Amino acid sequence: MRLFHFAFAFSLSIAGSWAFAAPNAENGKQLYAQHCAACHSAEYNGIGPLHAGVFGRKAGSVPSFTYSPAVKASSVVWGTDTLSQWLADPEALIPGQKMWMKVEDANARQDLVAYLKTLAKSK
Ligand code: HEC
C-alpha cells in the first residue's frame, strides 16, 4: 500500500511539469504581476495600454493610449494565437512596435494568455 502511494505521488509530480499542461490563469496572474505590471495594468494605461477587455479587441484600440504607428495601423485581433505570438516576439508579429519584451517559455505564454482572457472590459 505504501508503494502504491509513492507511485501515485510520483505520477502527479510529473503531470505538474508536463509540457502541455492546461492553461493556468492563476499562474498567469502571478507571471503578469512579475513581468508585465511594471508597464501594464487591467484598469489604467501606464507605459503600456490597459488590458481590460484585451481579449477579442483589435490591436492598438485603447483610445486613450498612444501606440506606435505600427500597432495602431495593424489589423491584428487579440486572441489565443495572436497574443501568444506577440508575447513570443512582438517585433516578428508587428514590425515597428515599441514593446521590447519577450516571453520565451511557451507554458508561461499560455498561462499569461489565460489570465488576459479573464480581464473583463472596463466600463
Ligand atoms: C517595458 C514595458 C512593457 C512591459 C514589461 C510589457 N509591455 Fe506590453 N506593451 C508595452 C507597450 C509600450 C505597448 C504598446 C506597443 C506599441 O504601441 O507598439 C504594449 C502592448 C501590449 C499589448 C497590445 C495591447 C493593445 O491594446 O493592442 C499586449 C497584449 C501586451 N502589451 C501584453 C503584455 C504582457 C502580457 C506583458 C508581460 C509578459 C507585457 N505586455 C509586458 C510595454 C510593455
Side-chain angles (χ1 to χ4, degrees), residues 31-40 46-51 54 57-62 65-72 74 76 78 82-83 86-87 90 94 96-103 108 112-113 115-116:
L31 291 169
Y32 188 90
Q34 288 162 13
H35 302 292
C36 319
C39 298
H40 291 282
I47 294 170
L50 64 84
H51 277 149
V54 68
R57 91 183 171 213
K58 199 187 109 18
S61 60
V62 173
F65 184 81
T66 309
Y67 291 92
S68 63
V71 167
K72 187 102 196 127
S74 95
V76 167
W78 297 127
T82 47
L83 281 170
W86 172 258
L87 294 178
I94 308 179
Q97 56 73 42
K98 60 174 184 179
M99 178 172 124
W100 294 101
M101 141 117 209
K102 283 185 187 179
V103 181
L112 281 161
V113 171
Y115 172 64
L116 289 175

Side-chain angles (χ1 to χ4, degrees), residues 110-121:
Q110 179 185 260
D111 291 353
L112 281 161
V113 171
Y115 172 64
L116 289 175
K117 203 171 177 178
T118 67
L119 300 176
K121 276 194 183 66

Side-chain angles (χ1 to χ4, degrees), residues 4-15:
F4 171 77
H5 274 130
F6 175 76
F8 184 64
F10 186 60
S11 66
L12 269 186
S13 73
I14 289 192

